[in-house]
Amino acid sequence: MNAHGDGREGRGGPGTGTDGGAALAETVLAWRETAASGAVLLDGFHALKHALRFGARVELGLTDDAAALRELAAELAPDVSGPVAELVREVPSQVLHELLLRVHPTGTAALAARRDRAENLALLHRTPRPAPVVVLDNPRNLGNVGAVVRLAAGFGATGVVTTGDLDPWHPHVVRAGAGLHYATAVERVPLAELPPGPLFALDPEGADIRSFELPDGAVLAFGSERHGISPELRARADHLVSLPMRPQVSSYNLATSVAMALFHWGGPAPAGPDLP
């Protein structure tokens, strides 16, 4: 059974006949060499779609059903259906499973170049900035970091910065972020090199965040899932702020906390149409 779980075998594609066998071998070699070069794994169609929309340099894509992928792209992302068809090569399902530790339900994966670190740092450090930077202080959960990247991209935040030893471009983080690392600046930096701007650190003992107006150039810092912000970050903070929370509830999920803070920064929704 292939990655779609419906019993279909992957189409013949490059694996059919002598010439097809050579093409398949070439595709497999290209994939392995590109992966070994440090390329970013885009797991599934939606990650590929987002990466293409935000300017990623996609090197190679694979699928076990090119016709189904083209149909999916035409339905859900016609703006990138052309590049998807051009970049993605069809391989048998068995080959896809051999190349990937985990095959996405869409039966699609791709490899892309990582965003340039120097360009990301320039975006994070520019002043004035049009939107806040989110800082995750020594995060531990890969999925949570990916969820925060997805939120930051959706809100239009300037970027997501992590401190500590977790790589924010780890494959599990990119998977959880649905390829939206290419829509915002994501980097790991030492605590001493945080982007400039007033530093608002989220802390249960801080003042209610609703008493502040968060400026566009703010740096919003969130602590690790278990221990909160570090003493070093606390000492650097310009403001300690807290999220409204019912008594006896201990904490929010990290991504939820980031969403609440970014929503507060975003201000009121634009006025809707006049109603009769």
Side-chain angles (χ1 to χ4, degrees):
M1 182 175 289
N2 73 351
H4 300 285
D6 58 6
R8 294 192 314 250
E9 293 299 325
R11 305 290 191 239
T16 302
T18 304
D19 293 341
L24 176 59
E26 179 184 349
T27 296
V28 170
L29 179 61
W31 179 272
R32 287 177 171 158
E33 289 180 343
T34 304
S37 72
V40 176
L41 175 64
L42 301 173
D43 186 31
F45 168 71
H46 298 291
L48 173 60
K49 168 192 71 178
H50 285 141
L52 287 170
R53 281 177 173 168
F54 292 99
R57 190 175 82 243
V58 179
E59 307 287 354
L60 175 63
L62 300 178
T63 183
D64 65 351
D65 193 334
L69 178 61
R70 288 194 296 270
E71 183 178 325
L72 185 65
E75 177 185 358
L76 299 181
D79 55 311
V80 296
S81 60
V84 167
E86 180 181 346
L87 290 164
V88 178
R89 304 182 192 178
E90 186 176 79
V91 298
S93 297
Q94 179 182 349
V95 172
L96 200 62
H97 280 272
E98 291 171 356
L99 293 174
L100 301 171
L101 293 176
R102 170 185 177 274
V103 177
H104 192 271
T106 57
T108 302
L111 295 171
R114 183 167 171 163
R115 274 183 56 147
D116 183 76
R117 177 173 172 82
E119 292 181 5
N120 274 347
L121 291 177
L123 287 171
L124 291 165
H125 284 81
R126 68 177 174 174
T127 54
R129 287 191 303 266
V133 171
V134 173
V135 173
L136 304 182
D137 185 28
N138 197 29
R140 311 311 305 162
N141 185 287
L142 297 167
N144 279 347
V145 177
V148 169
V149 170
R150 194 168 185 173
L151 277 166
F155 274 100
T158 295
V160 176
V161 165
T162 65
T163 68
D165 56 7
L166 183 149
D167 179 8
W169 283 81
H170 186 284
H172 293 341
V173 180
V174 177
R175 178 183 299 138
L180 285 164
H181 282 59
Y182 295 92
T184 190
V186 180
E187 291 295 341
R188 175 174 50 178
V189 302
L191 189 60
E193 298 177 15
L194 292 181
L199 178 56
F200 293 79
L202 275 289
D203 184 87
E205 298 180 4
D208 192 315
I209 195 172
R210 293 171 294 183
S211 64
F212 293 86
E213 182 175 340
L214 301 179
D216 293 342
V219 178
L220 308 177
F222 301 81
S224 67
E225 296 85 350
R226 178 171 296 181
H227 301 294
I229 59 173
S230 64
E232 295 79 9
L233 190 144
R234 179 190 291 269
R236 292 172 58 93
D238 297 296
H239 307 281
L240 293 179
V241 296
S242 62
L243 297 169
M245 185 183 301
R246 181 180 180 180
Q248 298 184 321
V249 175
S250 58
S251 65
Y252 294 119
N253 172 270
L254 176 60
T256 300
S257 298
V258 174
M260 293 173 71
L262 286 176
F263 187 83
H264 176 65
W265 159 74
D274 294 332
L275 298 177

